Amino acid sequence: MSDETTQTARDARSAFDRADQRRRKQDAVLRVAAQAFNRRGFANTSMDDVAAALGVSKPTLYQYFRSKQEVLYRCHQLAMDHGEAGLALAQAQGGSGFERLATYLDRYMRGIFGDFGTCPVLTDVDSLAPGQRDEVVARRARISAATADLIREGVADGSIVECDPKLATLFALGAVNWIPLWYRETGPNTPDEITRAFLTLLGSGFAKPRP
């Protein structure tokens, strides 16, 4: 390998290393900010609070996010990524409507409990900037519609009790989306225990009893 090729490879690795370092620092900001938003409320949490928790200056924090609204927006995006990943997994694995619904909600919940410990309170949409709010609302509507479709298919194939798909969707997603409001990493139940318990409870309400 020539010296020029070797240097090019080093430069490429360095660029990726810098990008990875920036991503990890952004992840750290999101984790701390999400926890603060959940516990203190978005309006009561300042960028000064997030910077202090991370042990950095506010100007340093602004190198990664331009505003508090952008942090909240990125957190919402992360949560919806998990919801869409759950829907894709459910369709890929197949099964009855109820089985696909359970696969989807399992993946969604585990995502919420995942990399960032917890996503922000998913009901706090009004605090987003107008353009971001419109995007989040539209994306959430698509996830809700896909959830209702799964429930509708489960009713049709007999794996889910007769119900109003829209109300059933509000019930299921309401349970999932409020997890960040009350979940604490120091609490008595692990994410795995909570996920299993929620799926059992949802199943007792959704699944049609077998003869």
Side-chain angles (χ1 to χ4, degrees):
M1 183 179 293
S2 68
D3 291 343
E4 183 178 353
T5 302
T6 300
Q7 184 59 48
T8 299
R10 287 173 180 165
D11 291 344
R13 284 196 298 271
S14 177
F16 277 109
D17 287 344
R18 287 195 297 271
D20 182 63
Q21 288 173 5
R22 180 176 178 81
R23 180 189 60 76
R24 284 188 281 120
K25 288 177 180 178
Q26 287 179 321
D27 288 353
V29 173
L30 289 175
R31 181 184 181 89
V32 170
Q35 292 175 343
F37 294 162
N38 289 327
R39 296 175 186 181
R40 303 177 57 181
F42 180 80
N44 295 323
T45 303
S46 68
M47 290 293 267
D48 285 313
D49 297 326
V50 177
L54 288 165
V56 301
S57 66
K58 189 161 69 170
T60 298
L61 196 61
Y62 280 119
Q63 293 178 18
Y64 301 100
F65 294 99
R66 292 169 295 180
S67 67
K68 190 171 69 166
Q69 281 78 12
E70 184 182 2
V71 176
L72 182 64
Y73 172 63
R74 288 284 298 275
C75 288
H76 273 283
Q77 285 185 311
L78 173 68
M80 291 183 294
D81 285 346
H82 291 309
E84 290 171 352
L87 289 166
L89 180 63
Q91 295 300 342
Q93 291 192 353
S96 69
F98 176 74
E99 289 169 338
R100 282 180 287 135
L101 179 68
T103 296
Y104 154 56
L105 293 175
D106 178 82
R107 171 63 182 83
Y108 197 172
M109 284 188 282
R110 292 183 189 280
I112 287 177
F113 286 124
D115 293 339
F116 295 96
T118 175
C119 293
V121 174
L122 302 180
T123 55
D124 193 352
V125 176
D126 291 338
S127 296
L128 292 166
Q132 295 172 342
R133 181 168 60 245
D134 292 343
E135 180 184 336
V136 167
V137 168
R139 194 174 172 192
R140 286 178 56 164
R142 290 193 294 271
I143 292 173
S144 294
T147 305
D149 286 342
L150 278 178
I151 294 171
R152 194 173 290 108
E153 290 164 13
V155 172
D157 68 26
S159 63
I160 292 178
V161 296
E162 291 287 340
C163 62
D164 181 324
K166 183 176 180 179
L167 292 179
T169 295
L170 291 171
F171 172 74
L173 294 184
V176 174
N177 290 343
W178 277 90
I179 287 173
L181 185 66
W182 53 263
Y183 171 69
R184 298 292 180 267
E185 292 179 332
T186 56
N189 298 108
T190 66
D192 189 58
E193 290 171 341
I194 294 169
T195 299
R196 289 201 309 268
F198 269 45
L199 289 174
T200 298
L201 291 169
L202 288 169
S204 65
F206 277 120
K208 189 173 183 177
R210 295 181 179 179

